[in-house]
Amino acid sequence: MAMKFSGQVALVTGAAAGIGRATALAFAGEGLKVVLADRDAHGGEETAELIRAAGGEAFFQACDVTCAEQVKALIEAGKARYGRIDYAFNNAGIEIEQGRLGEGNEATFDAIMGVNVKGVWLCMREELNLMLGQGGGVIVNAASVAGVNAAPKMSIYSASKHAVIGLSKSAAIEYAKKNIRVNAVCPAVIDTEMFRRAYQADPKKGEFAAAMHPVGRIGSVEEVAMAVLYLCCDQAAFTTGHALVVDGGATVI
């Protein structure tokens, strides 16, 4: 059964590469207009060009999701261009931590929480107010299996993703009767540029990452994108406040 979408416009933050780019392309492939945002202007414009080259419609606006003014301007630009935003995938996030909690520093804490938590909160605040005015919408936030389970040597990152799930569940209840659904997607290790930088230089680390998943491999960005689209589509109309793991069975064991 093909996924169906009542809305016409999707917003994707962190759209310059990886899961964000794959999801933006997937939305466009379903015929939706796409608003793209990222701090990386080159990568964001490249995503927009890929969509246009495939016959879709998209525009990119540079945005630092930790800045309230830039987030507000992004949402206003999307509304000005397309009249509404039906689906929002708050995907922008960072992962810069490798150490035990007692070895952490305040700058790392502020950076991770700033993007992963404040950034999602700022985006949700503007998106929810827009969706209230237009009569509904769907929000999907990028969490992680680190938001469901422990993540040794990544405690701040794990805390940030637990917070994203908390924001998602709380907003889902607050807006359940306003025709707004809010969910989170929780990927395990995915084959992104970030993964390649971190692991593929050391084949043993890459093998270990694959072995973390009972299916014996890491995930693809397209697999996460399809999970996001499912959470947005009409067939998922009874799904809200859910944290959907895309993890090859990693959280089962």
Side-chain angles (χ1 to χ4, degrees), residues 228-246:
V228 175
L229 263 64
Y230 166 71
L231 290 171
C232 290
C233 78
D234 294 352
Q235 289 94 326
F238 201 54
T239 302
T240 194
H242 182 60
L244 177 61
V245 295
V246 184

mmCIF file of all heavy atoms in Angstrom, residues 228-246:
data_model
loop_
_atom_site.group_PDB
_atom_site.id
_atom_site.type_symbol
_atom_site.label_atom_id
_atom_site.label_comp_id
_atom_site.label_asym_id
_atom_site.label_seq_id
_atom_site.Cartn_x
_atom_site.Cartn_y
_atom_site.Cartn_z
ATOM 1 N N VAL A 228 10.340 8.110 8.811
ATOM 2 C CA VAL A 228 9.830 9.471 9.002
ATOM 3 C C VAL A 228 8.578 9.690 8.152
ATOM 4 O O VAL A 228 7.565 10.217 8.634
ATOM 5 C CB VAL A 228 10.905 10.517 8.668
ATOM 6 C CG1 VAL A 228 10.325 11.930 8.750
ATOM 7 C CG2 VAL A 228 12.097 10.379 9.598
ATOM 8 N N LEU A 229 8.643 9.280 6.891
ATOM 9 C CA LEU A 229 7.493 9.469 6.013
ATOM 10 C C LEU A 229 6.286 8.689 6.507
ATOM 11 O O LEU A 229 5.153 9.168 6.432
ATOM 12 C CB LEU A 229 7.832 9.075 4.573
ATOM 13 C CG LEU A 229 8.234 10.252 3.669
ATOM 14 C CD1 LEU A 229 9.521 10.896 4.146
ATOM 15 C CD2 LEU A 229 8.343 9.823 2.223
ATOM 16 N N TYR A 230 6.523 7.485 7.024
ATOM 17 C CA TYR A 230 5.396 6.726 7.570
ATOM 18 C C TYR A 230 4.730 7.493 8.716
ATOM 19 O O TYR A 230 3.509 7.603 8.774
ATOM 20 C CB TYR A 230 5.830 5.347 8.070
ATOM 21 C CG TYR A 230 4.747 4.735 8.925
ATOM 22 C CD1 TYR A 230 3.559 4.288 8.341
ATOM 23 C CD2 TYR A 230 4.861 4.694 10.315
ATOM 24 C CE1 TYR A 230 2.517 3.795 9.122
ATOM 25 C CE2 TYR A 230 3.824 4.201 11.104
ATOM 26 C CZ TYR A 230 2.659 3.751 10.505
ATOM 27 O OH TYR A 230 1.630 3.287 11.287
ATOM 28 N N LEU A 231 5.530 8.024 9.627
ATOM 29 C CA LEU A 231 4.966 8.753 10.762
ATOM 30 C C LEU A 231 4.181 9.977 10.316
ATOM 31 O O LEU A 231 3.286 10.445 11.029
ATOM 32 C CB LEU A 231 6.072 9.153 11.734
ATOM 33 C CG LEU A 231 6.716 7.995 12.510
ATOM 34 C CD1 LEU A 231 7.939 8.493 13.282
ATOM 35 C CD2 LEU A 231 5.718 7.331 13.450
ATOM 36 N N CYS A 232 4.517 10.508 9.152
ATOM 37 C CA CYS A 232 3.815 11.681 8.624
ATOM 38 C C CYS A 232 2.573 11.329 7.809
ATOM 39 O O CYS A 232 1.643 12.143 7.717
ATOM 40 C CB CYS A 232 4.751 12.501 7.737
ATOM 41 S SG CYS A 232 6.073 13.363 8.627
ATOM 42 N N CYS A 233 2.523 10.159 7.237
ATOM 43 C CA CYS A 233 1.497 9.854 6.245
ATOM 44 C C CYS A 233 0.118 9.650 6.880
ATOM 45 O O CYS A 233 -0.021 9.446 8.082
ATOM 46 C CB CYS A 233 1.897 8.654 5.399
ATOM 47 S SG CYS A 233 1.667 7.046 6.218
ATOM 48 N N ASP A 234 -0.900 9.659 6.031
ATOM 49 C CA ASP A 234 -2.279 9.542 6.494
ATOM 50 C C ASP A 234 -2.541 8.210 7.190
ATOM 51 O O ASP A 234 -3.368 8.133 8.103
ATOM 52 C CB ASP A 234 -3.239 9.690 5.310
ATOM 53 C CG ASP A 234 -3.208 11.079 4.698
ATOM 54 O OD1 ASP A 234 -2.565 11.980 5.282
ATOM 55 O OD2 ASP A 234 -3.822 11.262 3.634
ATOM 56 N N GLN A 235 -1.848 7.161 6.754
ATOM 57 C CA GLN A 235 -2.081 5.851 7.361
ATOM 58 C C GLN A 235 -1.623 5.785 8.813
ATOM 59 O O GLN A 235 -2.001 4.866 9.543
ATOM 60 C CB GLN A 235 -1.372 4.752 6.557
ATOM 61 C CG GLN A 235 -2.003 4.480 5.200
ATOM 62 C CD GLN A 235 -1.339 5.256 4.089
ATOM 63 O OE1 GLN A 235 -0.880 6.386 4.293
ATOM 64 N NE2 GLN A 235 -1.260 4.665 2.905
ATOM 65 N N ALA A 236 -0.800 6.747 9.251
ATOM 66 C CA ALA A 236 -0.326 6.789 10.637
ATOM 67 C C ALA A 236 -1.135 7.780 11.473
ATOM 68 O O ALA A 236 -0.678 8.239 12.514
ATOM 69 C CB ALA A 236 1.155 7.166 10.673
ATOM 70 N N ALA A 237 -2.356 8.059 11.049
ATOM 71 C CA ALA A 237 -3.165 9.093 11.704
ATOM 72 C C ALA A 237 -3.490 8.787 13.160
ATOM 73 O O ALA A 237 -3.837 9.692 13.918
ATOM 74 C CB ALA A 237 -4.463 9.310 10.924
ATOM 75 N N PHE A 238 -3.371 7.522 13.577
ATOM 76 C CA PHE A 238 -3.675 7.145 14.962
ATOM 77 C C PHE A 238 -2.404 7.016 15.791
ATOM 78 O O PHE A 238 -2.443 6.548 16.932
ATOM 79 C CB PHE A 238 -4.462 5.826 14.975
ATOM 80 C CG PHE A 238 -5.259 5.586 16.228
ATOM 81 C CD1 PHE A 238 -6.170 6.523 16.697
ATOM 82 C CD2 PHE A 238 -5.103 4.413 16.939
ATOM 83 C CE1 PHE A 238 -6.911 6.292 17.853
ATOM 84 C CE2 PHE A 238 -5.838 4.168 18.100
ATOM 85 C CZ PHE A 238 -6.749 5.109 18.555
ATOM 86 N N THR A 239 -1.278 7.443 15.235
ATOM 87 C CA THR A 239 0.010 7.313 15.911
ATOM 88 C C THR A 239 0.515 8.686 16.338
ATOM 89 O O THR A 239 0.824 9.529 15.499
ATOM 90 C CB THR A 239 1.057 6.654 14.986
ATOM 91 O OG1 THR A 239 0.577 5.374 14.570
ATOM 92 C CG2 THR A 239 2.390 6.483 15.704
ATOM 93 N N THR A 240 0.583 8.893 17.639
ATOM 94 C CA THR A 240 1.157 10.128 18.164
ATOM 95 C C THR A 240 1.786 9.842 19.524
ATOM 96 O O THR A 240 1.364 8.933 20.240
ATOM 97 C CB THR A 240 0.105 11.254 18.257
ATOM 98 O OG1 THR A 240 0.757 12.506 18.450
ATOM 99 C CG2 THR A 240 -0.886 11.031 19.384
ATOM 100 N N GLY A 241 2.824 10.597 19.857
ATOM 101 C CA GLY A 241 3.544 10.382 21.110
ATOM 102 C C GLY A 241 4.410 9.146 21.101
ATOM 103 O O GLY A 241 4.811 8.641 22.157
ATOM 104 N N HIS A 242 4.758 8.676 19.910
ATOM 105 C CA HIS A 242 5.506 7.417 19.779
ATOM 106 C C HIS A 242 6.964 7.685 19.426
ATOM 107 O O HIS A 242 7.272 8.583 18.641
ATOM 108 C CB HIS A 242 4.871 6.545 18.703
ATOM 109 C CG HIS A 242 5.528 5.217 18.522
ATOM 110 N ND1 HIS A 242 5.622 4.294 19.532
ATOM 111 C CD2 HIS A 242 6.142 4.656 17.442
ATOM 112 C CE1 HIS A 242 6.249 3.220 19.098
ATOM 113 N NE2 HIS A 242 6.574 3.411 17.828
ATOM 114 N N ALA A 243 7.863 6.869 20.007
ATOM 115 C CA ALA A 243 9.282 6.917 19.655
ATOM 116 C C ALA A 243 9.593 5.654 18.866
ATOM 117 O O ALA A 243 9.719 4.553 19.427
ATOM 118 C CB ALA A 243 10.141 6.992 20.907
ATOM 119 N N LEU A 244 9.681 5.784 17.561
ATOM 120 C CA LEU A 244 9.837 4.649 16.656
ATOM 121 C C LEU A 244 11.321 4.311 16.472
ATOM 122 O O LEU A 244 12.078 5.117 15.919
ATOM 123 C CB LEU A 244 9.208 4.968 15.296
ATOM 124 C CG LEU A 244 9.360 3.911 14.208
ATOM 125 C CD1 LEU A 244 8.706 2.599 14.607
ATOM 126 C CD2 LEU A 244 8.768 4.422 12.891
ATOM 127 N N VAL A 245 11.746 3.144 16.945
ATOM 128 C CA VAL A 245 13.144 2.747 16.774
ATOM 129 C C VAL A 245 13.365 2.162 15.394
ATOM 130 O O VAL A 245 12.528 1.407 14.880
ATOM 131 C CB VAL A 245 13.608 1.748 17.869
ATOM 132 C CG1 VAL A 245 13.588 2.389 19.232
ATOM 133 C CG2 VAL A 245 12.738 0.488 17.848
ATOM 134 N N VAL A 246 14.475 2.537 14.778
ATOM 135 C CA VAL A 246 14.912 2.001 13.482
ATOM 136 C C VAL A 246 16.326 1.506 13.736
ATOM 137 O O VAL A 246 17.296 2.234 13.554
ATOM 138 C CB VAL A 246 14.871 3.097 12.379
ATOM 139 C CG1 VAL A 246 15.235 2.497 11.036
ATOM 140 C CG2 VAL A 246 13.497 3.750 12.323
#
